[in-house]
Structure formats: C-alpha cells, structure tokens
Amino acid sequence: MIVALDALLSKRNVTLAARELDMQTPALSRLLGQMREEFGDPLFVRSGRGLVPTPFAEALRPKVQALAAAIDDLFQPTIASRQSEPFDPGWNVPSSIAVPPLAMRPANLLDGQPSPAEVAANLDRVGQSTSPHDRLARNIGVLGIAGGGHGRPLTMEEAEEAMAIVLAGEADPIQTGALFGMMRVRGATAPELAGFVRAMQGHVAARFEGRFGRTHASGPASRLEADLDWPCFTSPNYHNPPWFFHAAKLVAQAGHRVLLHGNTGSGPAAGRYEVVAAALGIPVCSTADDIGAALATQRIAYVPLTALAPQIHRLIGLHRLTQFRNAALEAVHLLRPAGGHTSLLGVTKPSHRELHRDTARLLGLPHISVLGSVRDVAQYTPFRPATIHRLIDGKPNDLALPSRMAEPPATPRPRGTSLEYWQGVWTGAMRDSRAERIIVGTAAFALFSLPGTTGGGFDEAMDRADYLWKQRQSR
C-alpha cells in the first residue's frame, strides 16, 4: 500500500500509477479503497485535472516517499559510494562530460521598484534597445505576472526572444522561475514551444558554428545532416531497458543515418545512455567533427545533451528544485539538431501528442511521428494498441495500430547485471522473445516513419525489421 500510495501521489491518476506499478487499474482502485479504509480519509478527490490529494494525504507525502524509497532499496543493488541505485550500477553512472552551472545574470533589484500596475503600463514602452532583463520582464508580464493577471500566451516571436535571453545567461534567476512557473500554470501552447525550439536551435547553431541548428540559405556547406532524428530524454527513474537503442542500430545497419540525442537527468545516473551507446558500439560524440565522421562511417551517433547544449541541460535539471517539468523539456524533443527527414517522438500525455505535432507544423517540419508512450521516448510495443500522430508532407495524419500479437511471457533473467542482459539480447547470448518483439516493432515504427521507405504500410515495415534483426551484425 505504501508503494501504491507513493505512485498515486506522484501521478495523481489511477491509470498512470497502475501502469508504473505494472498492475491492472481495477486492482489499484481496490487497493486505494483499502487505503481509504485503513487511514479513515478519502486521500484523493477528483477534479478536472485528475486526482487531488486531501490535506491529510499531502501531510503523509514526505513519510510515504521516504518509506517507498526504503522499500525500493531492499530490492536494488548497493555500492559503497551511494546508498542505493535505481537499478544496475553498470550503466547508472555520472556523465563524463563536465557541465558548467546554469548561466544567469542577477538583476540586483532595489527597494522601491515599480508596482505591478506601473510595470504593466511600461510594458509597451520596452523596446529592443533595452536591457535583457527589461525585455524578459515584458514577456513575463504578457503572460499575466503584471497587469492584474489578465495575460495571454506568448507569440512565437516573444517566446523565442524570452528563451534566447535565458539561454544566453542574461536572465535573472527569479525571472527564469517566473517564466516557467507561469507557463506551467497556463499550459504551454504550440507557438510558445515553437519559439523555444527556434531559440534552442539558434543557441546550438552558435555553439557549433552553424553546423547544427536552423538551416539558413547562407549556411555552411559542411552542415551536418541525418536521415532520422531520435530524441531520447528520459527520467533517471525510468527502469525499463532501453531497447530502442537496439532498434536504432538496426535502422542504421539498413543504411539510414540516425542521430540519437538526449539525457537521463542530471544526477548520478546522468551518464547512462553514454554507457549504453558505447556498449552497443554506437559512437558517443561531443563535437561536430566527431558526429559527422560517425554518421559518414557508421551511420549512427549518440550526442549527450551535456555536450550539445549544457545550458539547456541545466534548464531541464531545474526539475530537481521545482518538481515539475518545465517547457524547456517539452521543447527540446523537437530540437532536431542535425535536420533529418523525420523525427521520432514518444510522448506520455495524450494532450501533448497533438501539441508536439502542431509545434512541428509551426516550425515547418514536413514529417514527424509522435507515438503514445509510457515514457518520453519512441519505443513501440507491438502487443498493445497505439496511435501515431504524424505529419506527412506537412499535413496531419493519424494512424491507429491495433495490438499485433499476444504479449510473450516474461523470460526469467539469469544472474548478472541488467547491462549484461541487455547486451546479451543483441548478441544472441540471451533469448528474450518479449524484448525481441519490442526491438523489431520499434525498428518497424522507425522505418515506417521514414518518407518513401516502405510503400506497403506497417506490415511491410515489420517484415523488413524482422529480417534486419535476424541479419544483424554484433558490432
């Protein structure tokens, strides 16, 4: 009950909590009924945004979190340097790339600052020639911080300006918190996310001298290009093996250039995907030259966000202080640093799937595939129904995929680390039919999403992916 209550307090949704606990929704509902009887309190009440904890449940939250963590510790490996790991310390390692602190410029505000009404009256007088603090304050004021709370969402241009100031390190810390906090309350719009993405692309382009980022007519001839953009930004608490790395390598061995980029938080497991990529023979790159060479010779590369854009990495890492996902994490999935014919996105929230597609349309991306996923990474499970929200030549196109097969039984795992097991499935040393179907299905989803690759639909893509899996090279 403690673990279930912790999940419910975190997700505020019975279905999502049950999915995290790997149990049926009715079973968790019955367990919630037991908890209400045990505690003599409703614990949660329903609202338009899901379950809202009662004051009694909120008071229990710190104790419940501590107890749930202690219970998890009983089943997790321990190492001398830390009390416990979410799982395998073989790939839960700190990032090898040093990341500077989030750059900011405090405003040093003095007593006697203007009132909100005075600020609202001055917003329209703030021009491009004023300081970054004033320009960012104007955009925050538009959201409703000033002017009596009667705000509106930012336009794409306003959002781009605001994010550019933050990424340049010119924002006051209070302004950064106000910007993301207000957007969290309102909910980000497609124009706001598109503006953030454009600012991120400009920031990355400046760091890599134009070889990444937005394409310009006068851009350098050596600009890097991939066929498939595959963002993989997941929580350090994501416990399932990353089978999508195997699928990405299959697509690369089929002749398509694949660029994976992402991170796994900013804590002690931040370097997980660097270990995972290296273990599979995928080059881990931090410079434009390294990425270009990897795409040319091996047709696949993984770029940690810490190398691509440390400032964006630090913005996402603010989650540890705020305990909410800010709009930077939503936008970074559409960064598409090396172009590509299409992007593969995994999106958890149903309402955000069309939001990301609408954002892609505003950015002028002709092709994209957004997959409903339990985590924010494109990994397809063929024994569950799924919907793909696509852009095809810039036009929305939804595809509902039914469950394609019964779920294979879980394979008992031998002694050894999760990393060794994950590698063994690729090499054939371990046989896991469930994992293999996820890998083949995810590779099929990627091939199907590439324009002009499979004219025969998803069935042809599955056959092609199955052939690639059987003919795979071990390195």
Side-chain angles (χ1 to χ4, degrees):
M1 285 195 294
I2 291 295
V3 174
L5 181 55
D6 181 54
L8 286 167
L9 286 167
S10 172
K11 297 298 183 182
R12 300 193 179 195
N13 182 290
V14 175
T15 301
L16 295 179
R19 189 178 296 165
E20 181 176 270
L21 296 170
D22 198 21
M23 62 189 303
Q24 297 295 319
T25 301
L28 183 56
S29 296
R30 289 193 295 271
L31 197 55
L32 176 56
Q34 287 181 255
M35 286 188 278
R36 285 169 166 161
E37 185 176 342
E38 290 285 345
F39 286 112
D41 186 88
L43 297 177
F44 298 92
V45 294
R46 294 193 179 277
S47 76
R49 302 188 67 178
L51 298 178
V52 177
T54 64
F56 177 78
E58 284 289 1
L60 287 179
R61 184 191 294 270
K63 293 181 181 179
V64 170
Q65 288 180 332
L67 288 170
I71 292 170
D72 284 343
D73 286 349
L74 294 175
F75 301 96
Q76 304 296 344
T78 59
I79 56 175
S81 60
R82 293 190 290 276
Q83 257 193 331
S84 68
E85 290 286 348
F87 58 90
D88 180 20
W91 58 19
N92 278 343
V93 298
S95 175
S96 60
I97 302 172
V99 184
L102 180 66
M104 292 185 175
R105 187 162 68 89
N108 298 318
L109 299 178
L110 303 175
D111 291 337
Q113 290 294 303
S115 67
E118 292 171 319
V119 171
N122 291 329
L123 286 176
D124 290 336
R125 294 198 292 270
V126 177
Q128 295 299 317
S129 61
T130 56
S131 72
H133 285 148
D134 289 339
R135 287 187 283 123
L136 185 53
R138 177 195 61 202
N139 290 321
I140 295 171
V142 164
L143 284 168
I145 298 296
H150 302 295
R152 60 166 174 78
L154 298 175
T155 65
M156 188 190 306
E157 292 73 22
E158 290 167 340
E160 182 177 1
E161 178 187 51
M163 177 56 78
I165 291 171
V166 173
L167 293 179
E170 295 292 332
D172 182 89
I174 295 174
Q175 291 181 309
T176 301
L179 176 68
F180 288 133
M182 196 65 187
M183 292 184 71
R184 171 69 176 181
V185 172
R186 283 184 171 276
T189 64
E192 288 172 332
L193 288 184
F196 278 14
V197 174
R198 286 171 63 89
M200 289 177 172
Q201 290 174 333
H203 178 74
V204 172
R207 280 178 45 80
F208 286 85
E209 299 180 346
R211 296 186 69 184
F212 278 149
R214 270 180 281 167
T215 304
H216 299 281
S218 59
S222 59
R223 178 180 162 79
L224 297 171
E225 291 287 347
D227 297 317
L228 190 63
D229 181 76
W230 205 320
C232 43
F233 296 86
T234 57
S235 164
N237 299 320
Y238 178 58
H239 299 313
N240 294 334
W243 302 118
F244 62 91
F245 268 87
H246 293 335
K249 187 155 185 180
L250 288 182
V251 175
Q253 291 185 354
H256 306 285
R257 295 167 299 174
V258 181
L259 183 67
L260 298 131
H261 55 96
N263 72 0
T264 52
S266 55
R272 182 187 305 163
Y273 287 165
E274 296 169 39
V275 174
V276 164
L280 201 59
I282 297 174
V284 178
C285 304
S286 58
T287 69
D289 289 339
D290 289 345
I291 297 165
L295 292 177
T297 58
Q298 299 189 47
R299 297 184 296 280
I300 190 168
Y302 171 69
V303 188
L305 185 63
T306 48
L308 192 62
Q311 186 79 338
I312 300 175
H313 172 80
R314 286 300 189 193
L315 278 181
I316 294 173
L318 291 177
H319 177 274
R320 301 177 73 184
L321 294 178
T322 63
Q323 288 299 300
F324 68 77
R325 291 164 58 105
N326 63 52
L329 180 55
E330 304 299 340
V332 76
H333 288 80
L334 288 161
L335 180 58
R336 215 172 190 175
H341 295 147
T342 193
S343 292
L344 303 183
L345 272 65
V347 178
T348 304
K349 292 185 177 180
S351 61
H352 282 199
R353 294 164 194 167
E354 292 193 23
L355 175 65
H356 280 78
R357 183 174 64 182
D358 291 344
T359 303
R361 289 183 69 188
L362 290 174
L363 291 167
L365 303 181
H367 299 280
I368 191 171
S369 290
V370 181
L371 176 69
S373 175
V374 296
R375 291 290 178 179
D376 291 331
V377 68
Q379 180 168 288
Y380 171 62
T381 305
F383 21 88
R384 293 176 190 158
T387 299
I388 306 175
H389 298 272
R390 300 184 293 172
L391 280 180
I392 300 177
D393 293 325
K395 297 179 180 179
N397 182 294
D398 290 346
L399 176 66
L401 296 176
S403 174
R404 305 184 66 84
M405 63 189 71
E407 182 169 359
T411 301
R413 297 194 176 184
R415 295 177 63 87
T417 69
S418 296
L419 178 61
E420 291 168 351
Y421 188 90
W422 178 85
Q423 287 178 287
V425 171
W426 175 262
T427 61
M430 306 291 183
R431 294 304 305 271
D432 186 331
S433 58
R434 185 180 185 278
E436 291 175 10
R437 291 301 93 196
I438 292 174
I439 295 166
V440 169
T442 303
F445 165 65
L447 292 169
F448 177 74
S449 299
L450 280 165
T453 303
T454 54
F458 204 85
D459 288 335
E460 180 183 320
M462 284 290 289
D463 292 341
R464 174 66 173 157
D466 192 60
Y467 174 80
L468 291 170
W469 174 249
K470 293 173 181 176
Q471 301 297 318
R472 69 190 182 280
Q473 302 167 11
S474 61
R475 292 292 290 182

